[in-house]
Amino acid sequence: MQEEFPQTVSYNRFTELMQANLMPMALFLKSCCLGQCTGISFVDSTPIRLCKNKRIKRNKVFKGIANTGKSTMGWFYGFKLHIIINDKGEILTFTITQASEDDRTPLKQERFLDKIFGKLFADKGYIGKDLAKLLFIDGIQMITHIKNNMKNCLMTVYDKIFLRKRSVIETVNDELKNICLVEHSRHRSFGNFISNIISGLIAYSFLPKKLQIRFQTQNTNQICLF
């Protein structure tokens, strides 16, 4: 595509220019690419690996910045990307933490949840009485599955159905990594790492089709479908 882009620069120069566009891309992402909360939201975190585990000791780019954490897939070195999406598959907000950070920590920050309201569906890693009370004061009801050693609690059929559809956010995380390429092991600086994350989130917002939950009404009962 050299005819469409006659003044392209080399790869090395491109990586140098990425950091100069970090602020404009961040403003564009925050102002134009994020969705609107509908009262039904899903939250999850995904690991952003910077290198393979056998190369952790040799990684110098993120020395003193990144650390080692554990996910459901095992130990990794890097960061965590926390996102909240609505039922339309649109990203509402995001944040980046170290790999060892608790998944519940971002939910305690007001800036992370300033535009979120209604019901927030999460996995068992977000269970916490203090966190649930804190969110309830802010008008957010967090709904999760219960652990084996916990007592059963009453839950409406409406909430049970949406809790089963929580896999939609896991699909979004998969698209961010495999389509928008927010994760790779060739970063040359921390600034380029942040630029790559932001550009990947912007690219996701322009995908023509996003996985969403559709509503179908039959016999006065509301049924959720992908």
Side-chain angles (χ1 to χ4, degrees):
M1 302 178 66
Q2 293 182 357
E3 295 181 357
E4 288 77 8
F5 303 95
Q7 299 179 355
T8 53
V9 297
S10 63
Y11 176 77
N12 291 336
R13 182 56 179 163
F14 180 80
T15 56
E16 294 174 358
L17 294 173
M18 283 177 62
Q19 298 186 43
N21 297 317
L22 177 58
M23 185 60 67
M25 286 195 304
L27 293 175
F28 178 70
L29 173 61
K30 284 287 187 178
S31 59
C32 302
C33 299
L34 299 181
Q36 298 292 329
C37 183
T38 60
I40 300 172
S41 307
F42 302 86
V43 61
D44 196 13
S45 65
T46 183
I48 304 296
R49 296 175 176 84
L50 300 176
C51 63
K52 295 183 178 180
N53 291 344
K54 62 181 180 181
R55 298 195 180 100
I56 292 178
K57 295 183 179 180
R58 289 183 287 173
N59 189 289
K60 298 180 180 180
V61 176
F62 296 91
K63 186 177 182 180
I65 303 176
N67 60 8
T68 304
K70 189 176 183 180
S71 66
T72 55
M73 302 300 293
W75 293 94
F76 69 97
Y77 177 77
F79 299 91
K80 282 184 180 179
L81 175 62
H82 306 261
I83 62 172
I84 297 180
I85 67 171
N86 57 18
D87 56 326
K88 300 178 182 179
E90 300 172 338
I91 297 177
L92 304 178
T93 183
F94 69 96
T95 187
I96 302 171
T97 63
Q98 289 187 323
S100 59
E101 194 73 42
D102 193 336
D103 290 346
R104 295 169 290 188
T105 301
L107 296 181
K108 300 177 183 179
Q109 303 174 2
E110 294 183 1
R111 296 182 60 184
F112 186 60
L113 298 173
D114 58 349
K115 297 182 180 179
I116 307 301
F117 61 89
K119 297 186 178 183
L120 182 64
F121 297 88
D123 58 15
K124 297 180 182 179
Y126 291 86
I127 294 177
K129 290 184 178 179
D130 297 335
L131 178 60
K133 293 179 180 179
L134 181 63
L135 296 178
F136 188 77
I137 295 175
D138 295 333
I140 302 174
Q141 180 185 3
M142 188 171 66
I143 302 173
T144 65
H145 286 292
I146 61 174
K147 296 182 179 179
N148 295 331
N149 58 352
M150 296 175 60
K151 295 181 180 179
N152 291 329
C153 60
L154 294 177
M155 186 182 301
T156 63
V157 177
Y158 182 84
D159 293 340
K160 287 183 178 180
I161 293 176
F162 272 101
L163 198 56
R164 293 176 183 175
K165 303 301 181 183
R166 203 195 62 83
S167 60
V168 65
I169 193 171
E170 297 177 358
T171 304
V172 172
N173 286 329
D174 183 72
E175 291 180 347
L176 287 173
K177 290 183 177 181
N178 297 318
I179 298 178
C180 302
L181 304 179
V182 298
E183 180 187 56
H184 68 79
S185 59
R186 301 180 300 278
H187 298 294
R188 299 186 179 184
S189 66
F190 180 74
N192 282 350
F193 165 75
I194 298 296
S195 300
N196 184 74
I197 293 287
I198 293 177
S199 61
L201 295 174
I202 293 174
Y204 173 80
S205 67
F206 283 95
L207 291 180
K209 292 184 179 180
K210 297 182 180 66
L211 188 64
Q212 57 181 314
I213 299 176
R214 298 194 304 267
F215 300 93
Q216 182 178 357
T217 303
Q218 293 181 355
N219 300 326
T220 69
N221 292 325
Q222 201 169 43
I223 303 175
C224 303
L225 300 173
F226 279 118

